Amino acid sequence: MSQTSVPVQTLQPLHRRKGHWWRLMRKYLAVLQVSIANNIAYVTEVFFRALFLFVLVFILSQLWQTTYTLRHATLLNGFSIRDMIWYLLAAETIALSMPALTKRIDLEVRSGQLAYQLIRPSNYLLYNFAHYLGERLVRLTMNSVVGVILALFIAGVPHLTWAGLLAWPVAVFLAICIEFVAYFCIGLLAFWTEETQSFTLIFSRLTLVLGGVLAPLDVFPEPFRYIARLLPFSTILYGPARTLVHFDLTQFYWLLVQQLITLGVGIIILMAVYRIALRRVTVNGG
């Protein structure tokens, strides 16, 4: 009589499986905590980087104040000068808190350190995401503090809603995940090219222009406005910034759908590139 073998995993109680997933989560939470602690240790450097946000928002606010004055307008496509300044703050805070992810991945690939990273008892992608998220949170917090002080001084207290304040962190987190996937893919291109910074520059500039960092997409002329909103760049800067300043439930739902689709497609592309890259590590012997 033949015996059918049953996988041991299916016999494990449910609480043991949950314990296994919790141990995995704790591993990457520890990486996140270490990354935050390392960046807090150099908080002075992060603060001086945040001063660039101070200068940039101040210059852009002066340009927009001049624009409103010359046009004798109090509103531009629904944005008052106060809304515009707070929008610029929200968008620039996200844009300027991006760590040098591609440079680090690029260096690990070209120097061969990637082979040593892969033998660690952790997933390379999740490890880098936890490290990236910790650095991003510290920069985002510092940029927000510096930017809010400047915006309060220039424009005064904003007309924000509780719904917008609660929805903004969700939109920002998804935007951060989308950026991570995009820049990680660019960093892995070092397997085929000697330098990836040119690709990083192109993507970052497209994000700044088509993502609405200098002005909300609402003030762009048609059909450029419609096209820019459909592109994934708008999910990184314009969507989260507008959610904070001009919250609209319908547009927020559409933003979440767009962000989730963009993130899902990005993850599929990242996994495909990552698998091909791992084969090259095996072929080249690390």
Side-chain angles (χ1 to χ4, degrees):
M1 181 175 181
S2 61
Q3 296 181 353
T4 303
S5 60
V6 180
V8 179
Q9 185 178 3
T10 60
L11 301 178
Q12 292 179 349
L14 183 60
H15 70 275
R16 290 188 179 181
R17 298 183 188 179
K18 290 183 178 179
H20 174 69
W21 286 107
W22 172 242
R23 285 193 298 270
L24 289 178
M25 287 183 59
R26 286 198 306 175
K27 180 189 303 184
Y28 300 110
L29 285 175
V31 176
L32 174 65
Q33 293 173 352
V34 171
S35 179
I36 292 175
N38 289 338
N39 283 274
I40 291 178
Y42 298 97
V43 67
T44 304
E45 179 185 355
V46 178
F47 173 75
F48 280 111
R49 287 179 179 176
L51 289 181
F52 180 68
L53 170 69
F54 187 96
V55 175
L56 190 59
V57 172
F58 178 79
I59 294 175
L60 290 176
S61 64
Q62 297 303 307
L63 290 175
W64 278 108
Q65 284 180 343
T66 303
T67 302
Y68 276 80
T69 302
L70 293 177
R71 299 187 62 171
H72 303 287
T74 57
L75 292 176
L76 285 178
N77 291 67
F79 281 79
S80 66
I81 183 61
R82 177 179 298 180
D83 296 336
M84 185 67 70
I85 292 175
W86 281 95
Y87 170 88
L88 293 174
L89 163 67
E92 294 288 355
T93 298
I94 301 173
L96 296 181
S97 63
M98 175 67 196
L101 177 63
T102 55
K103 186 178 295 185
R104 186 174 74 247
I105 304 301
D106 190 344
L107 179 62
E108 290 180 355
V109 172
R110 289 190 289 113
S111 65
Q113 295 179 8
L114 175 64
Y116 298 99
Q117 297 284 350
L118 292 175
I119 63 176
R120 289 183 174 182
S122 60
N123 183 278
Y124 182 69
L125 294 176
L126 294 179
Y127 173 86
N128 276 280
F129 178 71
H131 185 278
Y132 155 88
L133 187 60
E135 186 175 358
R136 191 71 185 264
L137 289 177
V138 175
R139 292 190 177 194
L140 190 66
T141 302
M142 186 61 68
N143 286 345
S144 298
V145 172
V146 173
V148 166
I149 294 174
L150 176 62
L152 286 173
F153 177 75
I154 297 177
V157 180
H159 299 293
L160 304 180
T161 63
W162 284 108
L165 290 172
L166 294 176
W168 187 69
V170 178
V172 170
F173 178 74
L174 291 176
I176 288 175
C177 293
I178 293 172
E179 273 200 320
F180 171 80
V181 170
Y183 282 108
F184 204 96
C185 281
I186 294 175
L188 290 177
L189 292 180
F191 278 100
W192 296 272
T193 61
E194 295 183 0
E195 182 65 41
T196 63
Q197 294 309 303
S198 58
F199 299 104
T200 302
L201 182 63
I202 294 172
F203 184 85
S204 63
R205 294 301 177 267
L206 287 175
T207 304
L208 293 179
V209 175
L210 300 178
V213 71
L214 301 178
L217 300 183
D218 303 76
V219 303
F220 287 13
E222 293 288 4
F224 187 73
R225 180 197 312 174
Y226 177 76
I227 297 174
R229 282 181 173 178
L230 293 179
L231 294 175
F233 306 106
S234 64
T235 64
I236 299 175
L237 299 175
Y238 167 74
R242 197 185 191 284
T243 297
L244 178 65
V245 178
H246 279 179
F247 179 79
D248 181 84
L249 187 58
T250 303
Q251 291 194 2
F252 178 63
Y253 283 153
W254 165 248
L255 172 64
L256 290 182
V257 171
Q258 192 178 9
Q259 285 183 319
L260 291 175
I261 293 176
T262 302
L263 184 60
V265 173
I267 291 176
I268 294 174
I269 296 175
L270 172 60
M271 295 305 299
V273 175
Y274 182 64
R275 290 179 181 274
I276 297 174
L278 287 183
R279 294 175 186 172
R280 293 183 64 87
V281 172
T282 304
V283 171
N284 297 332

